[in-house]
Amino acid sequence: MSNEIQSKGNVLAIEVRRCLHRARPGRSFIAMTVAAAGLQCAVPAAIAQTRPALEEIVVTATRRDQTVQEIPFNISAVSGETLERANINDSIEALRTMAGVTVQDRGFRNSGVTNGIVIRGINVDSGTNGDVPLAAPPTVSTYVDDTALFGNFVLKDIARIEVLRGPQGTLYGSGSLAGNVRYIMNRPDPKDFEGSASVNFGVTDGSDGYNFNPDLMLNVPLTETAAFRINAGMIDNDGIVDYPNVYRTDANGDPVVNGDVLTALPEYRRVNDVDSVDIKYARAALRFEPSENFSAQLSYQWQDDEVGGRRQVTRGEDLVNGGQYDDYEFGAVQLEPAEREVQLAALELEVGLGFATLTSSTSYYEHTGSGISDNSGVYARNGWFAFYGSSPRPIAQAERFYDDTAFAQEFRLVSQGGEFIDWTAGLFYVDQDYDLGQNSFLVGYIPFLDALNWYGLAPYSTNQDFLFRRNQAYEEIALFGEATINFTDALHLTLGGRYFDNSVDVDAVVDVPIYSSPSSPPGTASEKIDDDGFLFKANFAWDVTDDTMLYATYSQGYRHAGANAVPTTGKYAENPDYFTFDSDSVDNFEIGYKGVTDRVTFAASLYYTDWQDPQLNTATSNWGFFAAINGESARTQGIEVELSGAITDSLTYSVGYTYADAELTDNVYQPAGNFYGGPLFTDKVAADGDRLPGTAKHVFNVAFGYDMTFANGIAMSAVLSGYYQSDVLNSIGDDNCLTSFTASGNCRDSANPASATYAPDSIFSRSYAEIDSFQLWNLSTTFSRDDWGVSLYVKNLFNDEGTTGAFPFLAGGSNTAPSQNYFGNNSRDFLALPRTVGMAISYSF
């Protein structure tokens, strides 16, 4: 199809949709298209000569087929064709094309642990988090098709991505505070056998190797009513980050000792391109659709990751080699590999009942993973190596692991639409077991401790100085639904609600095996929390004209409570206030205006979100156990604007802008004290009016597309896209110490009134950092003819550093004091992908 014919077809479709919209706004697109021949709609004959093509994406966010412009709340969608055209094959890059969404990009090393998605600034967590599963659930829920997703996948063969801003607990079983992200996959098609094969080669700045991503898709009709579809591939990327100061180790993995075990200094080696990526993935789906009133789809998704390290760099002075760390160097003294395996099986059924459509999603999910982290800088900055004799070869290794399984069932009953009252009702059930743990080792310390005879306890039998296990069972059942009253063709009122009942049961064990004895047994704790409640939604929509809509929404969101289950008695006791954390909730207010003109589709919204008892993932004051606490309150408010259109038949554009003003509206206090039976008190860690971390006030995204066809039948499509975010804060708190500093640079303050360094108003945080603004520009040009395509692309065209989070020096850097002897450096900045130049070749059949 030529560009001219395609342009006319797109514009004709828009005019038909406008006519149908005037006839019955609530009716589904499929039903209305079938009925179009019977409607008296006049479409101007010369429309294609006067209007360039405008793309409209049909979405199913409300469980009915509608365009983005017809849905009376803030939603964005990007089609799989648009992503392919821009050579976008990463969910982080895809989400950056939508206003109001930011992503804390930590590379593949951490993508499986946290989703990192922030919508409308609903985030309190520090940029240092993300290396382990967090106690508090994410603020944004994710779906694949109609199945709730609890882990992250590489997603290929995508039909579209939908982003719904604001709480969606009355429409979706998996509720959320900030919004939902849905990945809609291409369905098996019984009409035609088809397939595609592609291979992507690239080179990333800083790497001595290359990136290799082959991918294959097959769609196989089995009968006239059944089909099978499979997509499989791999990501094999060489790393970009070099470790110049890794300890040399012996056959046992201990630092080599040349000389006296009590005084010999470490020997170092350099390891390049550490953060290599080896990911294998596959998704298979079998679909059976014997009639218009019944369909069944069974899908299975699998992924296996082996990642050599994080995409991170250390800034500042290299104390081992002298000078400064280079652009892509990290100062750890040991390697930090990680691996994980995740799989999701889902059965989705759809049954037409005449008056309504019943859908069912039954899924089972397994996610296991482990990783090594160099905690030496954390120990050194806290002065902990002195507790173990101050070895000249200090090394602290953390082995973290998790095992997450979940069974979920979601039913939805959706009326046909187009009536005076349209409605949706659903039932959601989830049963999730979430286990995690950590083993920490002082690698190579046994010979040192035996020679030192520390505390007269030689010979030592273990170098394990920390053991943590946390097992959580979560169960929830929820009833949810909405009803829309269509007073006229132009006035609509939607009322929704959600009732939920959940329970969290947590058990934990904490030990310091190197010091274990009958007088200091492991610490244990357990707790169960039951909670229930009701959420409400109201939405009013007015079709101002046939092509524009004004809407206002009030909606409530919720995250469940939990138990940290850290020990509150015994040698390793924490303040009892850490034992549990409460649920948090939001009241979201929004007003928006959206529509389409001859040349532009547009959407603009104003929002205000009141956040009560915000959950903050943190670490306990004494022993650094993973835990969550509650603040008092916060709020976010802002503006979101999206524009898209066609300048000519060949040149299109899209623009998005977000202003997000997100701040605390009360002080945040963290439980403290109870160290070896000492007093209990609270520590002020953030102040009323502080900005929320990880949230840029200004985010801007833009894309230009240009298409043309040459005389020899070769088509060209070029896309230039840009993303800009303003500066962000890495954590709550600040970098202002109100007392004094120790020689190592750590702030000496205390929330204990009996302490000589008592500073009740101090909110100093070692994790605090101001992260600069950055911009990322991508360029992709695709040439295609018949079934072949060749794409040439550049990611991060100007090679901006793009820091998305940090682990500052004071949290885990060097410490050359004689009691610590640590010359490595674990401070880090997480980077966006550096400039990557590549070529993708594809063949469709």
Side-chain angles (χ1 to χ4, degrees):
M1 181 182 293
S2 70
N3 288 341
E4 180 182 3
I5 296 175
Q6 187 172 8
S7 171
K8 293 178 181 180
N10 289 345
V11 176
L12 177 62
I14 291 173
E15 290 302 310
V16 172
R17 289 199 53 98
R18 287 173 172 169
C19 177
L20 297 174
H21 181 73
R22 291 193 294 269
R24 177 69 73 182
R27 182 173 293 179
S28 74
F29 175 64
I30 294 176
M32 291 165 63
T33 303
V34 173
L39 298 176
Q40 300 301 312
C41 296
V43 179
I47 188 88
Q49 282 74 34
T50 60
R51 295 178 182 170
L54 299 178
E55 181 185 27
E56 286 196 323
I57 303 175
V58 176
V59 298
T60 56
T62 61
R63 306 307 187 184
R64 295 183 181 88
D65 294 325
Q66 296 176 286
T67 67
V68 170
Q69 297 302 319
E70 292 173 325
I71 294 177
F73 55 80
N74 199 319
I75 176 176
S76 295
V78 59
S79 68
E81 292 180 357
T82 299
L83 296 175
E84 183 177 357
R85 185 168 174 245
N87 200 47
I88 295 175
N89 50 27
D90 178 85
S91 62
I92 292 176
E93 187 178 349
L95 292 174
R96 282 178 175 154
T97 66
M98 303 184 195
V101 184
T102 57
V103 185
Q104 293 180 317
D105 183 8
R106 300 182 178 95
F108 289 104
R109 170 64 156 76
N110 301 92
S111 62
V113 179
T114 58
N115 66 28
I117 304 171
V118 177
I119 294 179
R120 293 183 168 174
I122 305 294
N123 176 66
V124 193
D125 291 342
S126 166
T128 58
N129 289 330
D131 204 34
V132 295
L134 303 175
T139 62
V140 176
S141 66
T142 53
Y143 271 75
V144 171
D145 292 332
D146 287 326
T147 299
L149 179 65
F150 301 96
N152 297 325
F153 286 91
V154 170
L155 296 175
K156 296 293 187 73
D157 198 25
I158 291 179
R160 66 184 178 276
I161 300 175
E162 301 175 7
V163 173
L164 293 76
R165 302 174 184 86
Q168 304 296 330
T170 60
L171 270 178
Y172 290 86
S174 182
S176 66
L177 286 182
N180 286 30
V181 175
R182 299 182 68 213
Y183 303 97
I184 310 301
M185 314 303 291
N186 287 314
R187 292 177 173 180
D189 184 359
K191 294 181 180 179
D192 298 299
F193 173 84
E194 63 175 337
S196 63
S198 65
V199 60
N200 191 323
F201 295 94
V203 177
T204 301
D205 191 68
S207 177
D208 294 329
Y210 59 89
N211 308 322
F212 176 60
N213 177 204
D215 194 77
L216 175 68
M217 185 280 291
L218 289 175
N219 184 88
V220 183
L222 303 178
T223 68
E224 292 183 352
T225 59
F228 174 77
R229 191 179 188 100
I230 186 171
N231 172 254
M234 63 180 293
I235 299 175
D236 185 3
N237 294 350
D238 286 327
I240 64 170
V241 178
D242 302 334
Y243 285 34
N245 302 323
V246 175
Y247 283 176
R248 294 187 181 276
T249 55
D250 59 23
N252 297 321
D254 297 337
V256 297
V257 179
N258 286 324
D260 185 354
V261 70
L262 291 177
T263 60
L265 298 178
E267 298 183 4
Y268 299 94
R269 64 188 179 101
R270 182 184 184 89
V271 183
N272 292 334
D273 297 345
V274 168
D275 57 322
S276 60
V277 177
D278 183 4
I279 295 177
K280 301 177 180 64
Y281 58 87
R283 185 178 192 270
L286 177 64
R287 185 173 181 84
F288 176 54
E289 192 169 359
S291 70
E292 293 182 355
N293 294 322
F294 178 77
S295 66
Q297 180 169 297
L298 178 65
S299 62
Y300 174 76
Q301 196 155 341
W302 167 86
Q303 184 172 322
D304 182 87
D305 296 5
E306 293 185 7
V307 182
R310 306 176 199 86
R311 194 165 65 222
Q312 61 192 7
V313 297
T314 297
R315 316 287 188 186
E317 186 178 0
D318 180 352
L319 298 178
V320 176
N321 302 302
Q324 302 289 306
Y325 285 99
D326 287 341
D327 288 343
Y328 299 114
E329 290 188 339
F330 180 56
V333 297
Q334 59 185 311
L335 301 181
E336 301 178 296
E339 60 183 10
R340 74 178 185 117
E341 183 177 26
V342 58
Q343 49 191 328
L344 172 68
L347 175 62
E348 297 180 352
L349 305 175
E350 185 171 312
V351 183
L353 303 176
F355 70 97
T357 299
L358 174 66
T359 61
S360 168
S361 173
T362 307
S363 62
Y364 179 76
Y365 152 90
E366 290 184 354
H367 186 192
T368 59
S370 63
I372 299 296
S373 295
D374 185 2
N375 266 10
S376 305
V378 176
Y379 277 49
R381 297 306 306 169
N382 283 283
W384 291 345
F385 283 127
F387 297 151
Y388 305 101
S390 304
S391 169
R393 302 170 302 280
I395 185 170
Q397 180 185 94
E399 176 193 18
R400 294 167 175 148
F401 47 89
Y402 55 92
D403 186 348
D404 183 13
T405 61
F407 170 81
Q409 175 65 55
E410 187 166 343
F411 293 105
R412 287 172 305 279
L413 195 61
V414 182
S415 68
Q416 288 300 308
E419 305 297 331
F420 178 66
I421 298 179
D422 299 329
W423 52 269
T424 298
L427 171 68
F428 177 71
Y429 172 78
V430 64
D431 184 358
Q432 182 180 22
D433 290 319
Y434 193 13
D435 304 333
L436 61 89
Q438 177 173 322
N439 295 320
S440 294
F441 303 95
L442 299 163
V443 179
Y445 262 66
I446 289 181
F448 173 79
L449 292 174
D450 284 344
L452 187 65
N453 195 17
W454 188 245
Y455 295 134
L457 299 177
Y460 281 80
S461 59
T462 180
N463 60 5
Q464 184 173 357
D465 73 309
F466 184 60
L467 179 149
F468 178 59
R469 302 289 185 272
R470 183 177 185 271
N471 303 323
Q472 173 178 294
Y474 177 70
E475 189 173 16
E476 178 185 6
I477 187 167
L479 298 171
F480 60 93
E482 294 186 353
T484 300
I485 305 171
N486 300 303
F487 294 108
T488 68
D489 287 347
L491 297 177
H492 318 275
L493 174 66
T494 299
L495 300 176
R498 176 188 182 91
Y499 171 77
F500 58 87
D501 189 314
N502 61 53
S503 65
V504 182
D505 194 349
V506 178
D507 298 287
V509 176
V510 177
D511 193 15
V512 179
I514 199 171
Y515 284 152
S516 285
S517 68
S519 63
S520 58
T524 61
S526 63
E527 179 70 7
K528 183 176 182 180
I529 298 176
D530 296 310
D531 194 16
D532 63 81
F534 183 81
L535 305 177
F536 178 72
K537 174 183 176 180
N539 171 272
F540 179 76
W542 173 34
D543 296 327
V544 181
T545 69
D546 293 336
D547 303 319
T548 60
M549 175 189 292
L550 180 68
Y551 66 88
T553 302
Y554 167 74
S555 56
Q556 295 180 309
Y558 164 90
R559 278 194 301 180
H560 66 77
N564 294 313
V566 299
T568 56
T569 59
K571 186 178 180 68
Y572 307 112
E574 293 283 358
N575 188 318
D577 288 343
Y578 276 113
F579 205 54
T580 61
F581 58 94
D582 297 330
S583 62
D584 59 350
S585 61
V586 298
D587 290 307
N588 179 71
F589 303 86
E590 177 179 339
I591 184 169
Y593 185 59
K594 60 169 63 176
V596 58
T597 69
D598 291 346
R599 290 182 173 272
V600 178
T601 61
F602 64 89
S605 64
L606 300 172
Y607 68 88
Y608 176 89
T609 304
D610 183 19
W611 189 3
Q612 294 299 313
D613 304 315
Q615 294 175 6
L616 166 65
N617 287 292
T618 184
T620 60
S621 301
N622 296 344
W623 304 101
F625 306 144
F626 312 128
I629 62 172
N630 293 97
E632 291 293 328
S633 61
R635 66 108 177 100
T636 69
Q637 57 187 2
I639 303 169
E640 295 159 341
V641 179
E642 290 186 306
L643 302 172
S644 62
I647 300 172
T648 69
D649 285 343
S650 299
L651 182 61
T652 59
Y653 69 91
S654 64
V655 179
Y657 170 72
T658 302
Y659 171 77
D661 180 17
E663 65 178 37
L664 295 168
T665 53
D666 209 329
N667 298 331
V668 177
Y669 294 91
Q670 182 164 332
N674 202 40
F675 193 77
Y676 290 120
L680 298 177
F681 44 91
T682 58
D683 187 8
K684 183 179 177 181
V685 295
D688 184 357
D690 285 357
R691 283 177 60 187
L692 298 185
T695 300
K697 280 195 173 184
H698 304 278
V699 177
F700 180 79
N701 56 272
V702 62
F704 295 96
Y706 182 77
D707 298 279
M708 67 177 298
T709 302
F710 298 100
N712 56 7
I714 296 178
M716 184 198 77
S717 178
V719 177
L720 173 67
S721 62
Y723 171 86
Y724 166 83
Q725 73 172 46
S726 60
D727 63 281
V728 301
L729 300 182
N730 191 62
S731 76
I732 58 173
D734 64 23
D735 57 353
N736 181 23
C737 185
L738 300 182
T739 55
S740 59
F741 288 82
T742 65
S744 59
N746 290 334
C747 183
R748 296 182 61 220
D749 63 2
S750 175
N752 183 0
S755 172
T757 57
Y758 179 51
D761 293 325
S762 173
I763 56 173
F764 177 86
S765 170
R766 295 186 188 185
S767 297
Y768 180 87
E770 297 180 3
I771 299 175
D772 291 338
S773 63
F774 66 87
Q775 55 182 315
L776 305 172
W777 290 89
N778 303 323
L779 176 63
S780 175
T781 303
T782 300
F783 299 91
S784 60
R785 181 176 183 180
D786 299 328
D787 297 325
W788 288 92
V790 177
S791 297
L792 305 175
Y793 64 87
V794 182
K795 308 283 188 181
N796 196 353
L797 186 63
F798 302 106
N799 203 27
D800 200 307
E801 290 181 347
T803 302
T804 63
F807 192 75
F809 180 86
L810 292 180
S814 304
N815 191 341
T816 60
S819 62
Q820 303 306 313
N821 299 313
Y822 185 65
F823 289 78
N825 193 330
N826 291 115
S827 64
R828 66 187 71 115
D829 287 352
F830 300 107
L831 296 184
L833 181 70
R835 181 169 49 221
T836 300
V837 180
M839 177 177 68
I841 302 173
S842 62
Y843 175 70
S844 300
F845 52 89

